[in-house]
Amino acid sequence: MTDTPASPPLPAASYIHLDGPEPRLSFLKCKSCGTMFLEPERLACARCGSRGGFDAHEPKYEGTLHSYSIVHRSFPGTAVPFISAVVDIDDGPSLKGNLRGVPFDADRIDGAMRVRIVFDDALGRRDADGNAYISHFFEPLAAD
Ligand SMILES: [Zn+2]
């Protein structure tokens, strides 16, 4: 691992785009029924079966916590604890990611809290060439 990335950071997921001044999310939205998908390409909608195509949809960067787990054991080399969460994005799909900025204590986590989506280095992870990744994270909206 090096301190200086070999090239600009890479997106940690296919729905994260780094083509502008700030990272952004983009999902596929079915032109027929509006269902959204995380993957970058689909031939047909898994909900309505339409092959009528998809629009790119950039969501609002806020949502509601749907569920979470405080992870105390993980793969070797992965720092614990962390909070793995699923968030229902206000005008988008449900998205999994790490929730940060809250205590690792279920008694102190509002299970339906409002969160914002932020982008940051993906916890220091690098590919074999030393390239960093940018990932999304959830933070409490009330933390401002
Ligand atoms: Zn559809």
Side-chain angles (χ1 to χ4, degrees):
M1 187 186 322
T2 63
D3 290 338
T4 304
S7 62
L10 304 168
S14 61
Y15 46 80
I16 298 173
H17 297 268
L18 305 177
D19 53 357
E22 298 294 329
R24 64 185 179 84
L25 299 175
S26 183
F27 305 115
L28 292 182
K29 185 174 184 178
C30 176
K31 289 182 178 181
S32 295
C33 74
T35 298
M36 285 185 250
F37 299 92
L38 302 181
E39 59 266 51
E41 293 182 46
R42 290 193 66 89
L43 295 176
C45 176
R47 180 169 187 157
C48 74
S50 170
R51 291 181 174 263
F54 299 87
D55 291 317
H57 177 75
E58 183 173 357
K60 295 176 182 168
Y61 291 86
E62 295 180 3
T64 303
L65 184 61
H66 181 91
S67 65
Y68 68 91
S69 293
I70 302 172
V71 179
H72 292 277
R73 295 183 67 181
S74 188
F75 294 102
T78 299
V80 291
F82 64 90
I83 300 174
S84 180
V86 174
V87 166
D88 298 327
I89 299 173
D90 286 352
D91 62 341
S94 298
L95 187 63
K96 186 175 180 289
N98 284 9
L99 172 64
R100 64 186 193 185
V102 297
F104 301 113
D105 180 350
D107 290 336
R108 297 173 59 200
I109 296 174
D110 173 2
M113 77 171 71
R114 296 284 299 154
V115 299
R116 66 178 166 221
I117 300 169
V118 298
F119 297 92
D120 203 350
D121 179 80
L123 306 175
R125 295 189 180 104
R126 302 282 188 266
D127 70 7
D129 297 324
N131 298 303
Y133 291 98
I134 296 294
S135 186
H136 65 283
F137 295 87
F138 306 118
E139 295 180 344
L141 199 53
D144 288 336

